[in-house]
C-alpha cells in the first residue's frame, strides 16, 4: 500500500513535469506568433531565444570551420520552408551541389531552386552588369526576387568570403549599409561568418548585426569533443547567454543541457 502511494506520487510528479514542458512549448509558440519570430527549429533552443529570431533581424551564424554553420542554416531554411515561409540560400563558399549533398545526407528537404550560387548569379543576371560590389549585386537580386516571391528568410554563406573579394575602404560601414538594406527589404537574414572565437570579428560585423549565434567545439579531459552553441546577442530578446551542447540526430538539431 505504502509502495503504491509512493509510485503514484512519482507518476504525478512525472506528469507534472510533462505538463510544465508542454506549457513552456505552448508559451514559446504563442510568443512566436505574437512577436513574429523565425524559429531555428533546434529543439530546446527557441525557448532560450524567446521563441526564435525576431523577424527582419540580421543575425550572424558564426564560428570556426566545420562547426556545422552551413548545415544548421540549411536546416533552419528547410524547416521554415516546410512551415510555409519562403526563403533563399545564397552561397559563395560552397557549390550548390555540395550543399544539396549536405542537405540530403542530413535528411533535409530542400528544393534546388532555393539555393543560389552568388558567383553564377553575377555571371548570368542582368542586375550584376553595372552593379558595383557584391553587396550591391546581392541587394539587387533580393529586391528583384522579392517582387516575384514573398521571401522572408535569407541565408548568406559567407560574409567573410564576400568581404575578402571586395575592396571597401571601410568594410564595417559597407557591412552596416548592407545589413540596413536587408532590414529595409523586410528579410530575416542568417549571415554565416567564419570566426575563430567569440571576441574577435575582423570587421566588427558582430556590432552591426542584430544578433550573433556562435558555434564552437569544446574538448573535455577525456579528449571528447562536443559541438556547442550559444546566443551572444539577440536584440529585442530576453535570451540565455549559456553554452549548450548541440546535437544532430534523425534529421533534427537539438540541445542537451548547458555546459556547466
Ligand atoms: N550527420 C551528421 N551528424 C553530425 N555531424 C555531421 C553530420 N554530417 C556531417 N557532420 C559534420 O559537419 C561538418 C561540416 O558541416 P558544415 O559544412 O555545415 O560546417 P561549416 O561550419 O559550414 O564548415 P565551413 O566553415 O568549412 O564552411 C563535418 O566536418 C562533419 O564533422
Ligand atoms: Mg560552411
Amino acid at each position: 500500500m505504502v509502495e503504491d502511494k509512493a509510485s503514484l506520487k512519482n507518476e504525478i510528479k512525472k506528469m507534472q513535469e510533462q505538463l510544465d514542458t508542454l506549457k513552456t512549448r505552448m508559451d514559446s509558440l504563442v510568443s512566436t506568433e505574437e512577436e513574429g519570430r523565425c524559429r531555428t527549429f533546434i529543439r530546446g533552443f527557441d525557448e532560450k531565444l524567446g521563441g526564435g529570431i525576431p523577424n527582419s533581424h540580421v543575425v550572424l551564424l558564426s564560428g570556426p570551420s566545420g562547426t556545422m554553420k552551413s548545415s544548421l542554416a540549411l536546416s533552419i531554411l528547410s524547416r521554415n520552408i516546410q512551415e510555409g515561409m519562403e526563403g533563399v540560400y545564397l552561397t559563395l563558399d560552397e557549390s550548390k551541389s555540395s550543399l544539396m549533398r549536405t542537405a540530403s545526407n542530413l535528411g533535409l528537404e530542400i528544393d534546388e531552386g532555393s539555393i543560389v550560387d552568388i558567383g553564377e548569379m553575377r555571371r548570368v543576371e542582368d542586375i550584376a552588369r553595372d552593379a558595383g560590389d557584391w553587396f550591391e549585386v546581392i541587394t539587387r537580386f533580393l529586391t528583384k526576387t522579392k517582387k516575384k516571391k514573398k521571401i522572408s528568410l535569407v541565408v548568406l554563406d559567407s560574409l567573410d568570403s564576400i568581404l575578402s573579394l571586395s575592396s571597401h575602404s571601410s568594410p564595417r560601414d559597407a557591412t552596416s549599409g548592407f545589413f540596413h538594406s536587408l532590414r529595409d527589404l523586410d528579410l530575416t537574414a542568417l549571415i554565416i561568418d567564419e570566426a575563430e572565437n567569440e571576441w574577435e570579428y575582423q570587421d566588427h560585423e558582430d556590432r552591426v548585426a542584430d544578433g550573433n549565434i556562435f558555434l564552437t567545439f569544446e574538448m573535455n579531459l577525456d579528449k571528447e569533443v562536443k559541438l556547442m552553441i550559444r546566443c551572444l546577442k539577440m536584440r529585442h530578446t530576453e535570451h540565455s547567454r549559456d553554452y549548450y551542447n548541440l546535437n544532430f540526430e534523425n534529421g533534427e538539431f537539438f540541445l542537451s543541457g548547458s555546459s556547466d
Side-chain angles (χ1 to χ4, degrees):
M1 195 68 181
V2 178
E3 259 178 7
D4 280 355
K5 213 172 170 184
S7 73
L8 266 177
K9 266 189 179 172
N10 214 8
E11 285 287 306
I12 291 172
K13 197 175 159 220
K14 268 193 209 158
M15 286 170 93
Q16 191 63 52
E17 278 169 8
Q18 282 175 346
L19 202 64
D20 288 346
T21 312
L22 282 173
K23 268 189 191 160
T24 315
R25 282 174 61 189
M26 181 74 179
D27 288 349
S28 100
L29 276 181
V30 171
S31 70
T32 306
E33 281 160 20
E34 278 172 0
E35 295 170 35
R37 286 176 184 255
C38 172
R39 290 164 71 191
T40 63
F41 290 95
I42 302 170
R43 187 161 29 96
F45 194 53
D46 285 325
E47 292 87 324
K48 315 278 183 207
L49 293 179
I53 297 165
N55 286 347
S56 306
H57 274 36
V58 178
V59 173
L60 299 182
L61 200 53
S62 60
S65 182
T67 46
M68 298 190 88
K69 300 179 296 297
S70 301
S71 306
L72 180 58
L74 280 169
S75 165
I76 297 173
L77 182 67
S78 155
R79 296 293 301 269
N80 276 289
I81 289 176
Q82 272 170 23
E83 295 289 310
M85 195 184 267
E86 296 221 41
V88 66
Y89 193 114
L90 306 179
T91 178
L92 187 67
D93 266 8
E94 209 176 324
S95 70
K96 185 170 164 165
S97 59
S98 174
L99 286 167
M100 287 299 290
R101 190 172 166 186
T102 300
S104 160
N105 285 345
L106 297 175
L108 302 170
E109 273 179 42
I110 193 135
D111 187 80
E112 213 173 305
S114 304
I115 303 179
V116 175
D117 186 319
I118 302 175
E120 186 65 15
M121 177 211 305
R122 177 140 215 174
R123 280 190 290 280
V124 300
E125 291 271 350
D126 288 349
I127 41 161
R129 269 185 211 136
D130 52 352
D133 63 28
W134 291 87
F135 285 150
E136 204 183 323
V137 173
I138 294 167
T139 307
R140 285 193 192 188
F141 173 81
L142 291 171
T143 308
K144 194 178 154 193
T145 308
K146 272 216 90 163
K147 285 184 186 149
K148 292 187 278 183
K149 278 203 225 169
K150 268 186 77 180
I151 53 163
S152 47
L153 178 62
V154 61
V155 177
L156 178 64
D157 194 354
S158 66
L159 180 66
D160 42 290
S161 299
I162 287 172
L163 284 173
S164 73
L165 288 175
S166 311
S167 52
H168 299 285
S169 52
S170 168
R172 177 183 166 148
D173 287 349
T175 305
S176 170
F178 175 58
F179 288 180
H180 276 304
S181 310
L182 294 173
R183 290 183 200 109
D184 289 346
L185 283 168
D186 220 2
L187 290 166
T188 305
L190 293 175
I191 311 288
I192 296 179
D193 194 21
E194 193 86 21
E196 279 316 305
N197 59 57
E198 55 184 280
W199 306 283
E200 288 167 59
Y201 289 82
Q202 210 178 336
D203 300 301
H204 303 295
E205 57 273 30
D206 55 325
R207 299 192 198 165
V208 292
D210 298 305
N212 188 358
I213 295 173
F214 183 73
L215 294 155
T216 192
F217 294 119
E218 192 182 270
M219 187 167 73
N220 66 18
L221 292 173
D222 295 327
K223 297 216 161 50
E224 289 165 345
V225 179
K226 288 183 171 178
L227 182 58
M228 309 300 290
I229 189 167
R230 123 169 163 92
C231 177
L232 269 92
K233 159 178 166 181
M234 192 63 70
R235 284 178 180 152
H236 317 120
T237 301
E238 204 180 315
H239 63 88
S240 162
R241 293 190 181 85
D242 293 338
Y243 270 109
Y244 298 94
N245 185 199
L246 181 65
N247 305 276
F248 182 85
E249 233 173 71
N250 301 325
E252 188 190 35
F253 280 95
F254 61 97
L255 301 188
S256 59
S258 66
S259 59
D260 46 34

